[in-house]
Amino acid sequence: MYRRTVLGTLAVGFGVLLGGCFESSVDGEIVSNETSLVLSHEHATQSTPSGVRILVEVTLENDGTEPITADGRVPRIVCTFRNDSGESLYESGRRLTDSVEVGETTTVEFPMAVNVDDVTRYELRSEWVDE
């Protein structure tokens, strides 16, 4: 009885460890940027106790001549996860609520935990929105 429990626990632990080790076939690109932010991005496939997720991390650098503040217009960063036929599977957006000084960087993350096997690409865009 204990042997099955131990073997089951080891199998689950080994599967969780390997979940993030395989090369991901997901590509990403910046499709539009109308702000003064310079965007750079990377993604990872991560194992969690409930399954696998994709995490896109976007680094934003204020390359403009003025600080970005939460007064008036603010940048909104949007990440759209797509399948191989280009269909949108999930879209998420983040508004910058903290000030970003000239030359300063900040990071936003976009997790995707459903239909992960169907995701083949993600697209990023940055746009101005009124606060």
Side-chain angles (χ1 to χ4, degrees):
M1 182 160 135
Y2 291 115
R3 181 178 176 193
R4 287 185 185 174
T5 303
V6 170
L7 290 175
T9 302
L10 289 173
V12 168
F14 186 69
V16 167
L17 287 174
L18 287 179
C21 294
F22 297 105
E23 186 66 32
S24 173
S25 62
V26 177
D27 292 317
E29 72 174 316
I30 300 164
V31 293
S32 69
N33 183 3
E34 63 182 45
T35 69
S36 60
L37 295 169
V38 174
L39 283 67
S40 58
H41 57 96
E42 58 185 35
H43 71 279
T45 303
Q46 302 174 329
S47 292
T48 68
S50 61
V52 177
R53 75 178 186 157
I54 297 171
L55 182 66
V56 176
E57 183 178 275
V58 184
T59 302
L60 314 166
E61 180 181 359
N62 183 355
D63 195 35
T65 58
E66 296 182 18
I68 296 173
T69 64
D71 299 333
R73 293 178 4 148
V74 296
R76 179 173 180 250
I77 313 307
V78 178
C79 182
T80 305
F81 293 92
R82 298 191 183 276
N83 63 16
D84 59 355
S85 64
E87 179 184 356
S88 175
L89 300 172
Y90 179 70
E91 183 173 279
S92 179
R94 305 270 190 278
R95 290 180 187 210
L96 289 187
T97 56
D98 296 331
S99 295
V100 182
E101 298 296 322
V102 174
E104 187 177 52
T105 62
T106 189
T107 304
V108 294
E109 294 181 341
F110 298 97
M112 170 77 168
V114 295
N115 298 329
V116 172
D117 292 339
D118 296 335
V119 176
T120 57
R121 64 181 287 102
Y122 63 88
E123 297 175 347
L124 298 168
R125 68 181 191 271
S126 177
E127 55 196 15
W128 289 110
V129 295
D130 292 323
E131 188 57 23

